[in-house]
Amino acid sequence: MIFQVEERPTKNYKIMQEKIETSKISIGVVGLGLMGCSITTCLLMAGHKVVAIAPLPLDLLHAADRIGSHLTKSKEEGLIDLNPDHYFNNLTITEDYSQLNLCSLVIECTLEDVDIKKQVYSKIENVISPDAILTSNTSAIPISILQNLTSIPERFFGLHWAEPSHTTRFLEVICGEKSDITNGEFLYELSHYWGKEPTLVRKDIRGFITNRLMYAMYREACYLVENGYATVEDVDRACRNNPGYWMTLVGVFRWMDLTGVDAYHRVMKDLLPDLNNQKEIPKLIDDIVKAGGKGISNAKGFYNYTPEEAKLWEETFREFSYEIRKLALKYPADVVSKKLSSKE
Ligand SMILES: NC(=O)c1ccc[n+]([C@@H]2O[C@H](COP(=O)([O-])OP(=O)(O)OC[C@H]3O[C@@H](n4cnc5c(N)ncnc54)[C@H](O)[C@@H]3O)[C@@H](O)[C@H]2O)c1
């Protein structure tokens, strides 16, 4: 499967030596909920033309406003130089899937439901060219399962973003069993133009990298609260002040290097057998969801919120995402090699 754009890199492509012209690559985003809107914003900011499909008319009520407010804030924060109108000129928001026909890449971003995604793939594949790449922002459905719902599995990948997609540096490019790795490598290269520090997951695994790590933590957090070791507030406070303190600078392995690998080795022996390993959904979260709790979006979650508090948490998270981005950019993954080369 060949990705037909003028700038398609060869296998030995080096991102710093040859430039991809993002303006020549039209991208489709299908699903304009929370993530679809921020992914669309990110792609517009990177210079792409974007065809944003609203699978449900409901999306049309908020999509333009949400994308507009992301762009306005990004301008205020200095992430982009031009006014939002400039980026809007490259955006089509529509319910009409046929407008995806010129897109070289389509990102599906609909509800985490295999049946819904399958119906959406069929509508997308009816109109895109056989050379276009099709991807999903699924959180944890194995890519090998999703690609078998499509007519050309080799062109299918996971593209897993983190909210808000226009500020976060995270992106996983995930290959399924049948994915053509060359296109995966291309997506990996292209995503640098979206401001990402991506990871190419060459072999499919449920939950990919971060969700496997995060869900191990969510499970243990529920266990501690359900069994009376700590409150929700206690667990959150510990989490913010311990891993929250170093995680923007280093990942888990560099952290163990920084603080002494041998100590972790000693602790693992006795602690690992004691960690929670349950397979069922924890009662703590099950009860909340069965009672209709969704979290901030309906002011009912692990905490209860007044509507004003819920709105303020949303705004505060938005503000914070721009601040933490600045810190992450100040300390990139190669911060030490950069310091070394500046000394030479
Ligand atoms: N929210 C996150 O932080 C996050 C992070 C990473 C990945 N994801 C994944 O991204 C995807 C979208 O998540 P979101 O948070 O944007 O969800 P959301 O609920 O905000 O949006 C869901 C989208 O699905 C569409 N949809 C709903 N029912 C549909 C149907 N019957 N047919 C077609 N489309 C339908 C809606 O129109 C909407 O555009 C999911 O697969 C989710 O797991 C979410």
Side-chain angles (χ1 to χ4, degrees):
M1 187 63 41
I2 299 296
F3 191 71
Q4 296 279 5
V5 291
E6 205 179 305
E7 298 77 20
R8 186 179 184 285
T10 64
K11 249 196 149 135
N12 297 319
Y13 181 81
K14 289 279 179 293
I15 197 90
M16 300 313 291
Q17 289 170 11
E18 235 178 280
K19 205 158 162 37
I20 294 177
E21 281 187 49
T22 50
S23 62
K24 292 189 179 163
I25 303 175
S26 291
I27 300 185
V29 176
V30 180
L32 299 176
L34 182 74
M35 290 224 73
C37 287
S38 66
I39 292 172
T40 298
T41 307
C42 176
L43 299 171
L44 289 171
M45 284 169 33
H48 293 282
K49 287 194 172 60
V50 181
V51 178
I53 304 287
L56 301 182
L58 202 64
D59 286 357
L60 294 174
L61 297 178
H62 63 245
D65 282 352
R66 246 188 230 179
I67 295 165
S69 103
H70 288 331
L71 288 169
T72 304
K73 181 77 178 157
S74 298
K75 170 86 167 52
E76 281 166 24
E77 295 285 338
L79 268 67
I80 46 177
D81 298 327
L82 302 167
N83 285 324
D85 285 356
H86 166 86
Y87 302 92
F88 263 110
N89 288 338
N90 286 331
L91 173 65
T92 306
I93 299 179
T94 174
E95 291 178 86
D96 176 11
Y97 280 75
S98 73
Q99 301 219 24
L100 293 171
N101 63 339
L102 295 179
C103 292
S104 314
L105 163 65
V106 176
I107 301 167
E108 169 273 310
C109 198
T110 59
L111 228 54
E112 190 77 343
D113 178 303
V114 173
D115 293 331
I116 290 179
K117 289 190 190 293
K118 183 178 176 190
Q119 286 168 24
V120 166
Y121 297 151
S122 150
K123 289 181 189 167
I124 297 171
E125 289 197 298
N126 276 342
V127 294
I128 58 173
S129 118
D131 294 326
I133 296 179
L134 179 55
T135 67
S136 174
N137 182 42
T138 176
S139 299
I141 305 172
I143 301 309
S144 305
I145 291 180
L146 291 180
Q147 72 183 171
N148 280 328
L149 308 175
T150 69
S151 57
I152 311 178
E154 309 84 69
R155 54 123 159 237
F156 192 91
F157 293 84
L159 259 195
H160 184 217
W161 303 65
E163 178 64 16
S165 312
H166 59 295
T167 64
T168 46
R169 309 267 293 146
F170 170 82
L171 189 82
E172 285 171 330
V173 180
I174 307 122
C175 299
E177 279 166 19
K178 296 182 184 164
S179 305
D180 175 348
I181 185 73
T182 320
N183 280 333
E185 284 166 353
F186 172 65
L187 289 172
Y188 175 86
E189 298 294 349
L190 179 62
S191 68
H192 288 86
Y193 289 80
W194 306 339
K196 303 301 168 201
E197 246 180 33
T199 307
L200 180 58
V201 185
R202 288 166 183 270
K203 218 166 112 184
D204 195 16
I205 181 164
R206 191 181 281 272
F208 324 129
I209 299 173
T210 47
N211 276 338
R212 291 188 77 85
L213 296 174
M214 297 296 292
Y215 277 78
M217 190 162 76
Y218 301 147
R219 174 167 62 187
E220 191 62 39
C222 288
Y223 172 82
L224 292 171
V225 175
E226 278 174 13
N227 291 281
Y229 294 104
T231 62
V232 164
E233 289 85 351
D234 291 329
V235 172
D236 274 3
R237 197 176 319 109
C239 205
R240 294 178 62 222
N241 292 313
N242 190 344
Y245 200 78
W246 48 265
M247 267 200 184
T248 299
L249 176 65
V250 289
V252 287
F253 293 112
R254 183 89 65 197
W255 177 245
M256 289 192 279
D257 276 353
L258 270 173
T259 48
V261 182
D262 52 332
Y264 289 90
H265 182 267
R266 271 196 302 278
V267 171
M268 277 183 185
K269 182 169 167 289
D270 293 326
L271 182 57
L272 294 191
D274 203 55
L275 294 179
N276 182 248
N277 204 17
Q278 78 180 58
K279 301 256 188 285
E280 307 76 40
I281 294 179
K283 184 170 165 14
L284 184 69
I285 187 169
D286 202 41
D287 287 350
I288 293 169
V289 172
K290 284 188 174 146
K294 290 181 183 227
I296 290 284
S297 70
N298 68 353
K300 275 188 212 145
F302 293 100
Y303 299 87
N304 283 321
Y305 306 86
T306 63
E308 194 189 1
E309 280 171 339
K311 192 165 168 280
L312 272 175
W313 270 112
E314 240 168 23
E315 283 171 19
T316 306
F317 174 57
R318 202 158 74 126
E319 260 167 53
F320 179 76
S321 70
Y322 289 94
E323 290 296 316
I324 194 94
R325 180 189 159 85
K326 284 181 209 152
L327 196 62
L329 288 174
K330 192 170 162 195
Y331 295 95
D334 58 352
V335 59
V336 166
S337 46
K338 281 201 167 121
K339 280 186 179 179
L340 279 175
S341 56
S342 73
K343 278 186 191 164
E344 282 163 12

